[in-house]
């Protein structure tokens, strides 16, 4: 069972890296992708928790923005965590999240919602990458909404009047940086239209030219028809097909292992990294 996209308290998940590894072991996961938003700070704890039969595919989910302003998430896996260029890119992305969050809080407050920046900080675990889920948690605690899912459905989607973008690299820059760090690049849930505007399939050729290795197709936010269309794109461009849970813990419905990557596809993806970096206890 191969689940290549999960989150911990290092970004916007609710399980510590240690707890995530234990839950993955209990769920029968054999390869776990740890992909916190714009950070690798959870890697060391996950490695310390890992034990047979689980292996770790360490990485990060990198926030990017196309030139026409569409948000795209790029999974970087199996890259060198000591690479200075990728760490600089992740650090820059994290730094832009604070002013962005302040603006979102301001917009919500202007419309009468009970929320402050202090509330959001209080809902963010120490050292975590600040993100919309923490704003959602603060809104839940303040009684504005009942759950993270409700917050995203009503207030925090990409199309919401309260959504604010933050300065991020383009998908092409992120891909090239992942590849230069020896890793593999997989575009995450590219047709998740309920999250907001999505890219056209015509952009995939440009992403492949930048070094894209795969497409995350089997994801709960993709419909059956979207999965079919993406499989056609993957076949035409000879891209690896992955599936994953995008697990965040409490507050989101995603369950570990609800979507998985075929072992043959994973073997191919792993072979495209510059060297073997899977952590096997």
């Amino acid at each position: 069972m191969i689940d290549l996209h999960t989150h911990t308290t290092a970004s916007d998940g609710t399980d510590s890296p240690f707890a995530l590894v234990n839950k993955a072991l209990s769920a029968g996961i054999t390869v776990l992708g740890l992909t916190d938003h714009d950070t690798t700070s959870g890697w060391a704890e996950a490695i310390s928790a890992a034990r047979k039969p689980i292996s770790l595919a360490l990485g990060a989910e990198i926030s990017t923005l196309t030139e026409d302003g569409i948000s795209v998430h790029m999974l970087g896996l199996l890259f060198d965590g000591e690479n200075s260029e990728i760490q600089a890119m992740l650090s820059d992305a994290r730094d832009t999240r604070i002013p962005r969050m302040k603006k979102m809080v301001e917009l919500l407050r202007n419309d009468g919602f009970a929320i402050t920046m202090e509330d959001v900080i209080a809902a963010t675990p120490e050292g975590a990458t600040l993100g919309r889920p923490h704003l959602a948690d603060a809104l839940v605690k303040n009684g504005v909404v009942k759950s993270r899912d409700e917050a995203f459905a009503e207030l925090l989607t990409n199309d919401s009047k309260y959504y604010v973008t933050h300065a991020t690299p383009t998908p092409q820059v992120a891909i090239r940086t992942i590849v230069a760090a020896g890793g593999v690049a997989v575009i995450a849930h590219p047709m998740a239209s309920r999250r907001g505007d999505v890219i056209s399939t015509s952009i995939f050729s440009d992403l492949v030219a930048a070094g894209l290795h795969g497409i995350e197709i089997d994801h709960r936010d993709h419909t059956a028809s979207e999965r079919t269309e993406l499989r056609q794109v993957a076949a035409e461009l000879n891209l690896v097909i992955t599936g994953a849970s995008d697990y965040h813990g409490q507050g989101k419905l995603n369950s570990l292992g609800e979507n998985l990557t075929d072992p043959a596809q994973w073997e191919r993806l792993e072979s495209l990294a510059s060297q073997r970096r899977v952590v096997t206890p």
Side-chain angles (χ1 to χ4, degrees), residues 70-249:
I70 296 176
S71 175
V72 174
H73 288 183
M74 197 65 59
L75 297 175
L77 293 164
L78 307 178
F79 56 82
D80 177 6
E82 301 299 317
N83 181 273
S84 60
E85 290 187 7
I86 200 165
Q87 287 296 342
M89 181 176 68
L90 297 176
S91 178
D92 288 345
R94 293 194 301 272
D95 287 345
T96 65
R97 287 174 174 266
I98 296 174
R100 173 229 198 177
M101 185 61 67
K102 289 180 177 178
K103 182 61 178 177
M104 292 185 72
V105 168
E106 178 186 348
L107 292 171
L108 287 161
R109 285 177 58 82
N110 287 344
D111 276 0
F113 291 101
I115 190 70
T116 67
M117 190 64 186
E118 289 73 21
D119 295 332
V120 179
I121 297 300
T124 306
E126 185 176 355
T129 300
L130 185 65
R132 280 179 291 170
H134 303 121
L135 174 55
D137 290 345
L139 289 167
V140 171
K141 185 175 181 180
N142 289 1
V144 177
V145 293
K146 293 180 180 179
S147 68
R148 273 191 181 185
D149 279 347
E150 182 180 334
F152 273 86
E154 297 185 1
L155 298 173
L156 304 182
T157 68
N158 290 7
D159 294 329
S160 167
K161 62 184 287 190
Y162 307 112
Y163 176 75
V164 177
T165 61
H166 58 115
T168 59
T170 65
Q172 291 87 342
V173 167
I175 292 167
R176 287 194 287 268
T177 305
I178 292 165
V179 173
V184 291
V186 176
I187 187 170
H189 44 69
M191 283 193 171
S193 56
R194 76 179 185 88
R195 296 172 177 239
D197 293 336
V198 297
I199 59 173
S200 165
T201 54
S202 62
I203 196 178
F204 278 98
S205 294
D206 292 337
L207 300 183
V208 170
L212 183 71
H213 298 101
I215 307 175
E216 183 183 64
I217 295 177
D218 292 316
H219 185 284
R220 71 157 41 231
D221 290 346
H222 285 158
T223 65
S225 62
E226 289 167 346
R227 296 184 192 204
T228 297
E229 183 176 359
L230 286 170
R231 277 185 163 78
Q232 292 172 347
V233 172
E236 291 169 2
L237 297 176
N238 195 30
L239 291 168
V240 175
I241 293 170
T242 72
S245 64
D246 197 0
Y247 174 77
H248 283 72

